[in-house]
């Protein structure tokens, strides 16, 4: 059974870059899409973007200028970078398997943007 | 503002059926057969309940069913149980050939 685990700083200063990594176990990275989604406290889900195992990516148009998702197949993990963060980026960030629907989720990690 | 519109709340008594709607446009729900539904209990990660409009992942009870009509998708839960009380989110591909993903704002299901 595939398991995903997010890791990274829980506190990021405004204007800096949020960086998270998702470690995948129990499954190969090949032949799947891998995604990031976030959920601001008390609010709904927002799609950030996905990466295919081939390396092709697709990002939420509203975040596209600030987002990079990358894949490290040797480490069996994928990463999220979100630049120039503001308080609006405070959310629980989830990594997931899938591109159109998501069958495996990480537990989520709260990232707070604050000075 | 969420791209897909869901009712903020629905409720039902144990044993009854409830339906949660998810309304989009001809560029998302109405154009793609990739609507999915997620259940989220407080403090937990969402769980996939329905994908590709009406398919159930292994382990999801057949009390949960999905359908769509035009620009509106629906999740029906029959034989309501106390543990069904949760937030439910819908999702769909969106955009012509861009394959973006959009979510609904979520619906709180209360089992009376």
């Amino acid at each position: 059974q595939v398991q995903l685990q997010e890791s990274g700083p829980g506190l990021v200063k405004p204007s800096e870059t949020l960086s998270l990594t998702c470690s995948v176990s129990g499954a190969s990275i090949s032949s799947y899409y891998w995604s990031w989604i976030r959920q601001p406290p008390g609010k709904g889900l927002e799609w950030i973007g996905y990466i295919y195992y081939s390396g092709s990516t697709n990002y939420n148009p509203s975040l596209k200028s600030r987002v990079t998702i990358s894949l490290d197949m040797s480490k069996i993990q994928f990463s999220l970078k979100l630049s120039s963060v503001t308080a609006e980026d405070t959310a629980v960030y989830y990594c997931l398997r899938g591109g159109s629907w998501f069958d495996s989720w990480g537990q989520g990690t709260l990232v707070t943007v604050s000075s | 503002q969420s791209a897909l519109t869901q009712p903020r709340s629905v409720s039902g008594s144990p044993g009854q059926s409830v339906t949660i709607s998810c309304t989009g446009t001809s560029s998302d729900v109405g154009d793609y057969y990739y609507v999915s539904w997620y259940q989220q209990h407080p403090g937990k990660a969402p769980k996939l309940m329905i994908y590709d409009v009406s398919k159930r992942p292994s382990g999801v009870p057949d009390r949960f069913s999905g359908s769509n009509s035009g620009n509106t998708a629906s999740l029906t839960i029959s034989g309501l149980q106390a543990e069904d009380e949760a937030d439910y989110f819908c999702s769909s591909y969106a955009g012509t050939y861009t394959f973006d993903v959009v979510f609904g704002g979520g619906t709180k299901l209360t089992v009376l």
Side-chain angles (χ1 to χ4, degrees):
Chain A
Q1 181 170 338
V2 60
Q3 291 188 319
L4 299 94
Q5 178 67 58
E6 305 90 351
S7 60
L11 181 65
V12 181
K13 290 182 168 54
S15 79
E16 294 189 344
T17 296
L18 178 160
S19 295
L20 295 173
T21 296
C22 182
S23 298
V24 181
S25 61
S28 169
I29 283 220
S30 299
S31 303
Y32 287 104
Y33 287 87
W34 302 92
S35 297
W36 290 94
I37 286 172
R38 67 182 183 180
Q39 185 172 33
K43 297 187 178 180
L45 302 169
E46 180 180 28
W47 173 67
I48 299 172
Y50 57 69
I51 186 166
Y52 193 43
Y53 79 101
S54 64
S56 63
T57 55
N58 191 22
Y59 301 134
N60 186 322
S62 69
L63 300 170
K64 189 172 185 176
S65 63
R66 300 193 292 130
V67 172
T68 301
I69 297 176
S70 58
L71 196 59
D72 187 334
M73 297 190 73
S74 64
K75 294 183 179 179
I76 319 180
Q77 61 186 27
F78 60 106
S79 300
L80 168 70
K81 290 188 185 300
L82 181 65
S83 64
S84 305
V85 297
T86 70
E88 299 287 307
D89 296 310
T90 293
V92 174
Y93 286 76
Y94 293 99
C95 64
L96 317 90
R97 184 174 72 173
S100 60
W101 45 268
F102 312 103
D103 64 350
S104 297
W105 294 62
Q107 64 184 25
T109 185
L110 174 63
V111 179
T112 302
V113 178
S114 175
S115 55
Chain B
Q1 190 165 0
S2 301
L4 305 178
T5 301
Q6 298 180 234
R8 293 190 71 109
S9 64
V10 297
S11 62
S13 299
Q16 289 186 332
S17 293
V18 295
T19 296
I20 300 172
S21 61
C22 171
T23 301
T25 70
S26 57
S27 295
D28 40 62
V29 174
D31 194 32
Y32 291 103
Y33 206 71
Y34 292 114
V35 175
S36 52
W37 290 90
Y38 303 87
Q39 176 192 66
Q40 186 178 34
H41 287 108
K44 301 292 187 181
K47 173 187 175 184
L48 176 67
M49 304 302 285
I50 296 287
Y51 68 98
D52 291 354
V53 175
S54 59
K55 297 178 182 177
R56 273 190 313 278
S58 174
V60 173
D62 59 7
R63 303 186 294 105
F64 291 83
S65 62
S67 63
N68 71 344
S69 177
N71 296 336
T72 298
S74 299
L75 172 71
T76 298
I77 308 169
S78 59
L80 267 181
Q81 299 181 2
E83 59 262 36
D84 297 335
E85 183 163 299
D87 291 323
Y88 291 83
F89 295 91
C90 62
S91 176
S92 174
Y93 261 165
T96 305
Y97 306 122
T98 59
F99 300 104
D100 299 337
V101 177
V102 292
F103 283 95
T107 298
K108 170 66 177 177
L109 168 62
T110 300
V111 180
L112 302 170

